[in-house]
Amino acid sequence: MRVPFKKTISVFVFTVYLNISYIIAQDKIPQIQLEKGEVTTAFIEAKIDSIIAILTLEEKVAMTHAQSKFSTKGVERLGIPEVWMSDGPHGVREEISWDAWENAGWTNDAITAFPALTCLAATFNPELANKYGYNLGEEARYREKDVLLGPGVNIYRTPFNGRNFEYLGEDPFLASTMVVPYIQGVQENGIAACVKHFALNNQEHWRDKINVEVSDRALYEIYLPAFKAAVQKANVWALMGAYNKFRGQYTTHNKILHKILKTDWDYDGVVISDWSSVHSTKEAALYGVDMEMGTGTDGLGTTTSNHYQHYFLANPFLKAIKNGELSEDLVDDKVRRILRLIYRTNLNPNRALGKLNTKEHHKVAREVATEGIVLLKNEENFFPIQDKKGITIAVIGENATRNMTQGGGSSQLKPLFEISPLQGIKERYKNATIIHTMGYESGDSVYDEILPATLNQDSLYVKAIETAKKADVVLFVGGLNKSHHQDSEGDDREVFALPYGQEKLIDGIHEVNKNVGFLLLTGNAVEMNWLPKTKGVLQTWYLGSMAGHAIADVVSGDVNPSGKLPFSFPKKLEDNAAHSFGEISYPGNGVDQEYKEDILVGYRWFDTKKITPQYAFGYGLSYSDFTISDVKIDQKKYNKSDTIKVTFNVANLGDREGAEVVQVYVGKHKSKVQRAIKELKGFTKVFLEKGDQKTVSISIAADELGYYNTEVSDWSIEDGNYYLYVGNASNNIVKKIKFSLF
């Protein structure tokens, strides 16, 4: 068919025009990847501006919500990569299926399980926290993740909280001091740490609906400092919202918390929702959710075709912008933060390659574990136990062989190996005879369900007593586990006492063998009516891959214990502040909850109310004897811009090397507002050879001694007299010094 000449010319001109337009458009597309010399803040921000300018609205919205259980979309036409996330705070979780809560079945996703964060907190060693974070970040990088969903910094308010083992204890100063180097270590690998759960998610029971009512003072003085340190001192790149409500509004998209985070603290990273913690398109858009994860549907409660498009920040968000109900500036801010995250992680040209399951990783895991183990009781020098011929050691208890990296919820892991306490003890003790029996049994650990035991408990009890009779020494290995209503996500504990008939078993063992030591595996305090039936107690936490080796290191004396408790152990549940006020304080009435103890959390409560704990915050024994002496401050009067310098001598009077944690607390004398008697303001871990001593100093900024003044909605520092307390536990103060601020 012939085409008229004029029409041919018109088609030709139009085709040329399209090609030229395409070429011009291509020229406008910025180079996405960076060269190593281009990694500057100004250059990256300019690059982000140029990218946002050419993204379609649909592309921008697609970046703000999940495309699978643990990933979000990139932009294919521009080469902008997807973002891949992984649980969790003490190890990189196994691969999860694209769209189901089940293992993907990979064979190359086994990792190093590091000790849970309660153990890290118990080390009181910020340098070790940095090594922990760096080695964990290396594993996340090798597994090709961009965001590691941890650490958790929710405050230990009640020993019933199922996720306390994932957090850093009851004191905001300790949590703040330990979380900063952890985050810095992770992010040195080009992996974003994601600090969580912002905020006031201090219990699992009713976590998805409970409305927390708390004073501004408690909010700012107790529950926010670790988050603030993560943002302002560690420059954390990601932060996760929480499930609960605060003052009637869900915390993931809470107007008050959004202002604090992104305006007051000037946070420039992303806010990632917890999985299914978004409840409103408008609030998520306005109050700071940048990446919506795990919602599943638009609230229908069922999975539908293309359900990721039904997320609150998916089609409903797109529609609201197109209709003019929401400004496009809102999605631009979210995309800007997401692109900033991408340039810090998977488009960072300086990013290392990562490593997995190296000897160094195992070494660090073991080091954290041994430094975090806390010697609670050592009557008649029960520990360490010598390895010598002719001695029989009975290891009794299910936790001697139970896998403690499985279960617990989102923090469960698939380690390359996990050395059990029994295996570690057997491998360390070459001369002594080691015998073992379970003593009791619980069901397997699965999420949100309690599985029954499968063995006859009476038979296990009888065999345990028979085994104890044959031994010179009994090591009872018990405590809690990662099952539902124990140390696990999804709900809280229901009883303060040891579960599974352990107290009865300890009583029975003690009747036939008085030489009993307890290896207590928990992430929480427990009731200790059984304490008089033991000569020694080691709090051994959940220690991960190297658990058994670390426990054997301390039991044998190869390592001198130096851990300190990061939270208080009450004698009875009612001694805990949250529980002392009844149901409305914990767990709430099903709708609302009031933090009636206000700022008096943990040792602040025990000190101020003159309640004696079973074991105090900061407490931990050693195989050596240490003294703290010649405590001085450099002045008696300070102005509010000064730094208070505390110096002291620490001496090791024992016959072996060891470490002591010196703790400095400060309290305001006759404050005009309610304040705790004292608050932790500094600490240092001092390592000493036998017979050695060191002069050590701790500096405290005077402007850190304020309280949150609700009358001016800001921090205030009172004039007048203060007391400085120095000791090795919150209830063991060796020196009290008076000074004044003006």
Side-chain angles (χ1 to χ4, degrees), residues 212-462:
V212 175
E213 296 292 340
V214 63
S215 73
D216 278 350
R217 281 198 62 197
L219 179 69
Y220 280 92
E221 293 181 26
I222 303 296
Y223 298 104
L224 291 186
F227 289 103
K228 185 177 182 180
V231 169
Q232 295 191 335
K233 294 183 179 180
N235 188 30
V236 72
W237 297 340
L239 176 145
M240 185 187 291
Y243 285 115
N244 53 288
K245 294 179 181 178
F246 167 52
R247 295 180 184 168
Q249 190 173 41
Y250 282 104
T251 50
T252 293
H253 37 74
N254 185 284
K255 186 176 183 179
I256 297 171
L257 296 179
H258 170 63
K259 177 185 178 296
I260 291 170
L261 178 65
K262 289 188 174 178
T263 301
D264 298 349
W265 296 351
D266 198 26
Y267 175 59
D268 71 355
V270 296
V271 171
I272 301 172
S273 76
D274 206 339
W275 272 234
S276 297
S277 71
V278 174
H279 298 270
S280 162
T281 295
K282 183 177 180 180
E283 289 189 0
L286 290 173
Y287 305 136
V289 180
D290 301 306
M291 305 173 84
E292 180 188 2
M293 303 299 296
T295 301
T297 72
D298 57 355
L300 298 176
T302 58
T303 299
T304 60
S305 177
N306 299 316
H307 63 277
Y308 293 102
Q309 296 305 315
H310 295 286
Y311 273 36
F312 292 100
L313 288 182
N315 285 344
F317 189 27
L318 179 65
K319 181 180 178 181
I321 294 172
K322 286 184 174 180
N323 290 345
E325 298 169 22
L326 293 170
S327 169
E328 190 169 349
D329 290 343
L330 293 169
V331 72
D332 285 349
D333 179 69
K334 299 178 193 304
V335 171
R336 180 179 306 282
R337 292 170 182 273
I338 294 167
L339 288 172
R340 194 177 289 136
L341 171 71
I342 288 171
Y343 276 113
R344 287 167 167 170
T345 57
N346 55 28
L347 281 182
N348 180 355
N350 298 321
R351 202 181 194 196
L353 296 176
K355 298 175 184 176
L356 193 68
N357 287 314
T358 67
K359 290 183 179 179
E360 179 65 18
H361 295 174
H362 301 154
K363 177 184 175 183
V364 169
R366 188 169 182 169
E367 185 180 0
V368 172
T370 54
E371 277 204 36
I373 290 174
V374 183
L375 179 60
L376 295 178
K377 180 179 180 180
N378 203 23
E379 185 179 297
E380 299 176 9
N381 292 319
F382 180 87
F383 294 114
I385 300 171
Q386 291 185 337
D387 178 22
K388 57 186 179 182
K389 292 186 181 297
I391 184 174
T392 298
I393 302 173
V395 179
I396 300 175
E398 183 188 38
N399 284 358
T401 55
R402 188 181 180 93
N403 183 308
M404 290 297 188
T405 56
Q406 285 295 303
S410 61
S411 67
Q412 79 167 24
L413 297 171
K414 178 184 173 182
L416 186 64
F417 60 84
E418 180 180 348
I419 306 298
S420 71
L422 179 63
Q423 181 183 347
I425 290 168
K426 280 186 171 181
E427 291 184 9
R428 171 58 181 82
Y429 283 80
K430 303 296 186 183
N431 298 309
T433 299
I434 307 297
I435 57 178
H436 166 254
T437 189
M438 284 184 70
Y440 69 95
E441 185 223 4
S442 61
D444 289 341
S445 296
V446 296
Y447 186 73
D448 203 29
E449 184 180 358
I450 298 175
L451 298 184
T454 59
L455 301 177
N456 184 285
Q457 301 300 303
D458 291 337
S459 297
L460 292 176
Y461 177 89
V462 170

Side-chain angles (χ1 to χ4, degrees), residues 690-710:
K690 64 179 181 179
D692 197 6
Q693 73 170 20
K694 290 181 181 177
T695 299
V696 185
S697 65
I698 292 176
S699 295
I700 302 168
D703 61 10
E704 293 294 320
L705 303 183
Y707 71 96
Y708 190 80
N709 188 340
T710 56

Side-chain angles (χ1 to χ4, degrees), residues 154-158 161 164 200-204 223 595:
N154 295 102
I155 291 295
Y156 188 110
R157 180 175 180 258
T158 162
N161 183 4
N164 276 334
L200 300 165
N201 185 182
N202 302 303
Q203 66 189 56
E204 289 296 287
Y223 298 104
Y595 283 17

